[in-house]
Amino acid sequence: MKLAKKALFAGLILVIAAGMAFAGGGGDSKGGVTKGMDRKIVMGYSQIGAESEWRTACTNSVKAAAEEWNIDLRFSDAQQQQQNQLQAIRTFIQQKVDIIAFTPVVETGWEAILKECLDAGIPTICVDRSIEGSDRVAANPNDKNDPDNWFTAFIGSDMEQEGNRAAKWVIANAAKIKPGKSVYNIAELQGTVGSSAQMGRFKGFRDTLGINPTSALGTSKDGKFKIILSQTGDFTRAQGKQVMEAFMKSNGNDIDVLLAHNDDMAIGAIQAIQEAGKVPGKDIVIIGIDAVKGAFEAMVAGTMNASIECNPLLGPQVMETAVKILNKQPVEKWVVSTESDYDQTNAAAAYPTRQY
Ligand code: AHR
């Protein structure tokens, strides 16, 4: 009899645990109300994955801010698959969460699911990466077919401007590090193809250098800069290294400058350059984007030259915006991050203050 009771109890625990897992976040036993609300709100969050140091910092920021605001966060990791994001958002709709935040892995393919959110009356926030309409306010707020209505707010960086800033740094500094060259040959490691981060940085970099922004390779109008190699490394350290190994084999003696769309790929590439017998930071000038601690360490060590900051600490703004939306207060359509540029002249001084 005692045994049967124990079995029944264990069974009950299992059923409760399974229910909590289905709820997506292991349940939320903490009571109270959300900061700024008269009740506790539930947020579904679809994150891309954990491809970079930056992404980990972003995830930690979101989770910590949800704790601070006392928001019940249902967090889902899509492992780089848009399909998984669509599935997670659909589950959040079924769970009738109060609000959904998501980082779109690529820019397109969101129309159907965001219309489902609109139909369910669940507002959505785009975080870090954008989709079409991120910087526009809809003319008619009730027109479901207007992409400007597909989400309520976007919180993240101006990726195109990051590309502009990287190019400005190259124009101002390449000749100081490698003097006496009439043309600077550039290799590029692109981010995940089709993501707003890859597309914005790709275009911004070319626009500022004066290179045709619609083609991967090309020469600047003034003839001083030439992109000779450009391939995706999917924002990961391992692929950054792998693609750079191939670049070094085919054109190792020709490359003067490397632009990596994120620091993780730059750090992977540094290894490949060293293994090929070249000196990163001297033989090849290296610029990354993100300004993660790993890049600061490389800049201080002299193996990396510059990093353009992209701020991943978006959690507090996401929670604040969610509370405003649910309180029917006005919000900016695009809350743009403010960021700085770092290189070997200011990296050591800034390093101790870096949070990610
Ligand atoms: O979308 C932001 C980019 O995605 C970051 O630059 C990169 O590190 C990340 O994986």
Side-chain angles (χ1 to χ4, degrees), residues 48 50-55 80 103-104 127-129 157 159 162 192 195-198 201 234-236 261-264 289-290 292 310:
I48 294 174
E51 74 282 5
S52 61
E53 221 179 303
W54 190 99
R55 183 69 50 206
Q80 309 299 317
T103 296
V127 183
D128 157 33
R129 294 186 190 169
S157 305
M159 305 294 186
E162 289 173 355
T192 303
S195 66
S196 63
Q198 174 263 339
R201 291 165 188 177
D234 214 11
F235 281 131
T236 71
H261 284 198
N262 80 347
D263 288 338
D264 275 72
I289 296 177
D290 280 353
V292 295
C310 177

Side-chain angles (χ1 to χ4, degrees), residues 191-245:
T192 303
V193 174
S195 66
S196 63
Q198 174 263 339
M199 293 196 289
R201 291 165 188 177
F202 179 103
K203 180 175 184 304
F205 188 66
R206 285 162 177 74
D207 277 347
T208 300
L209 285 179
I211 295 176
N212 177 0
T214 62
S215 69
L217 310 182
T219 306
S220 62
K221 284 188 202 112
D222 63 7
K224 288 186 184 159
F225 298 98
K226 189 174 180 184
I227 302 178
I228 60 166
L229 296 156
S230 183
Q231 219 175 290
T232 181
D234 214 11
F235 281 131
T236 71
R237 205 169 282 207
Q239 287 191 64
K241 179 169 190 271
Q242 208 183 337
V243 176
M244 195 66 200
E245 280 166 358

Side-chain angles (χ1 to χ4, degrees), residues 1-325:
M1 189 63 190
K2 260 188 181 169
L3 215 63
K5 262 191 187 166
K6 267 189 189 164
L8 187 68
F9 182 69
L12 264 176
I13 297 282
L14 271 179
V15 169
I16 292 167
M20 282 163 71
F22 178 72
D28 181 25
S29 53
K30 222 166 107 186
V33 296
T34 295
K35 212 165 58 168
M37 303 283 310
D38 57 6
R39 64 193 170 91
K40 184 157 187 167
I41 63 164
V42 180
M43 173 186 282
Y45 193 101
S46 168
Q47 178 60 287
I48 294 174
E51 74 282 5
S52 61
E53 221 179 303
W54 190 99
R55 183 69 50 206
T56 306
C58 180
T59 292
N60 291 343
S61 168
V62 167
K63 288 184 175 172
E67 274 279 313
E68 199 194 320
W69 261 256
N70 198 20
I71 289 173
D72 179 0
L73 183 74
R74 314 268 166 98
F75 187 88
S76 169
D77 176 337
Q79 311 203 342
Q80 309 299 317
Q81 301 300 318
Q82 184 177 36
Q83 214 38 50
N84 293 342
Q85 293 203 278
L86 299 176
Q87 183 51 51
I89 296 174
R90 209 153 271 136
T91 305
F92 296 147
I93 296 172
Q94 284 159 8
Q95 292 173 351
K96 299 187 179 5
V97 300
D98 294 296
I99 193 155
I100 294 172
F102 71 113
T103 296
V105 62
V106 289
E107 259 204 7
T108 55
W110 301 98
E111 177 173 353
I113 193 74
L114 292 180
K115 284 181 173 171
E116 286 176 41
C117 293
L118 285 176
D119 288 342
I122 301 176
T124 51
I125 304 176
C126 256
V127 183
D128 157 33
R129 294 186 190 169
S130 60
I131 60 173
E132 204 191 341
S134 58
D135 52 353
R136 293 188 306 254
V137 176
N140 172 3
N142 299 318
D143 180 2
K144 221 172 71 175
N145 289 319
D146 182 348
D148 298 2
N149 281 318
W150 291 347
F151 59 92
T152 309
F154 165 49
I155 297 165
S157 305
D158 186 329
M159 305 294 186
E160 200 173 311
Q161 221 179 68
E162 289 173 355
N164 299 145
R165 285 156 55 201
K168 271 187 200 149
W169 191 92
V170 170
I171 293 167
N173 294 286
K176 290 186 199 155
I177 299 158
K178 284 193 87 175
K181 299 217 61 161
S182 54
V183 183
Y184 286 85
N185 288 327
I186 302 173
E188 178 183 40
L189 291 169
Q190 296 180 33
T192 303
V193 174
S195 66
S196 63
Q198 174 263 339
M199 293 196 289
R201 291 165 188 177
F202 179 103
K203 180 175 184 304
F205 188 66
R206 285 162 177 74
D207 277 347
T208 300
L209 285 179
I211 295 176
N212 177 0
T214 62
S215 69
L217 310 182
T219 306
S220 62
K221 284 188 202 112
D222 63 7
K224 288 186 184 159
F225 298 98
K226 189 174 180 184
I227 302 178
I228 60 166
L229 296 156
S230 183
Q231 219 175 290
T232 181
D234 214 11
F235 281 131
T236 71
R237 205 169 282 207
Q239 287 191 64
K241 179 169 190 271
Q242 208 183 337
V243 176
M244 195 66 200
E245 280 166 358
F247 285 176
M248 293 308 288
K249 270 196 194 120
S250 63
N251 295 75
N253 290 326
D254 307 325
I255 305 170
D256 301 306
V257 174
L258 170 71
L259 168 72
H261 284 198
N262 80 347
D263 288 338
D264 275 72
M265 293 190 294
I267 292 165
I270 287 171
Q271 277 179 40
I273 294 167
Q274 284 167 331
E275 283 167 20
K278 296 274 181 193
V279 183
K282 290 201 168 63
D283 293 334
I284 299 180
V285 179
I286 300 172
I287 304 106
I289 296 177
D290 280 353
V292 295
K293 276 191 179 165
F296 276 82
E297 281 151 19
M299 285 189 281
V300 171
T303 54
M304 188 162 160
N305 301 88
S307 184
I308 306 303
E309 188 177 39
C310 177
N311 184 10
L313 307 177
L314 304 172
Q317 282 166 307
V318 174
M319 303 311 149
E320 199 184 317
T321 305
V323 166
K324 277 190 184 160
I325 292 171

